Amino acid sequence: MAGLEGMEEPRQQGQATAARWMPAVECERTRGERETFGDPTEGEVKLPSLGESAGTARRLTLWVVQHKWGLSAQVSEFAVLLVSELVGNAVRHTGARVFGLKMLRRRGWIRIEVRDPSRGLPCLMPVGELDVSGRGLFLVDKLSDRWGVDLLPRGKTTWFEMRVVDRER
C-alpha cells in the first residue's frame, strides 16, 4: 500500500528483512505533522494530494482516535484503515491538488470526513474473492456503521461513522 512506512533492522547474512513500526519515531513524526497541518478535530486539515499523505492521514487518525479520544485498539485500527481507503480514493481518482481531513466526535459516535474538489461520486462495486483492487468502499461499507457522500457547491465530502463506547473519565 502506498504510504506505509516502517523501519528496517540490519539484515544478517541469509535472513529476510521485516518492516517494523517504531512507536517513538512515529510519535515524533506525528507531532511534527500536527504542527505542520493542524489537528483534524479542531477543523479541516488540508493535505497535499500525494501518496505519502495517506501515511500522514493514518498517523493523525491513530493519534486522534487512540490518544486524544482514548478509544479501543479495534476502533483505532478500523478508523485508520478506512481513512487510508478514503484518502487513497481522493488522491487516485479526483485530480485534486489538496484534500481535507476532519474528525468529529459526539456521544457514542465518531465521524471522519475526507473532502475533495471533485463532484464525481464514489461507487461501491461488487468485490470478488480474488480481486486485488477496488475494495476500498467495500471495506468502508463493511467496517463502518454508516457512510455517505455530501455534495458541495465545489466538490464533495465522503464520510464514515462508527459507534463507539464512551468511557467514564
Side-chain angles (χ1 to χ4, degrees), residues 11-39:
R11 186 176 7 175
Q12 294 182 5
Q13 190 74 20
Q15 290 187 337
T17 305
R20 182 172 66 113
W21 179 62
M22 299 184 69
V25 173
E26 291 298 320
C27 187
E28 186 62 36
R29 188 172 192 177
T30 303
R31 189 178 358 268
E33 289 168 337
R34 284 194 331 258
E35 290 171 4
T36 301
F37 299 109
D39 180 343

Side-chain angles (χ1 to χ4, degrees), residues 19 22 26 63 74 80 107 124 126-127 136 143 146 157 169:
M22 299 184 69
E26 291 298 320
W63 174 74
Q74 183 178 31
V80 166
R107 187 176 182 89
L124 178 60
V127 176
L143 298 177
R146 294 176 10 138
T157 299
R169 293 194 186 244

Side-chain angles (χ1 to χ4, degrees), residues 54-102:
T56 300
R58 283 193 294 273
R59 285 185 293 277
L60 289 172
T61 301
L62 181 64
W63 174 74
V64 167
V65 175
Q66 202 164 50
H67 300 288
K68 187 170 185 177
W69 290 343
L71 299 174
S72 74
Q74 183 178 31
V75 170
S76 300
E77 182 180 343
F78 286 179
V80 166
L81 173 62
L82 300 186
V83 160
S84 190
E85 297 300 338
L86 294 186
V87 167
N89 286 347
V91 169
R92 201 172 302 116
H93 301 297
T94 67
R97 290 191 320 203
V98 297
F99 64 90
L101 176 66
K102 187 175 179 182

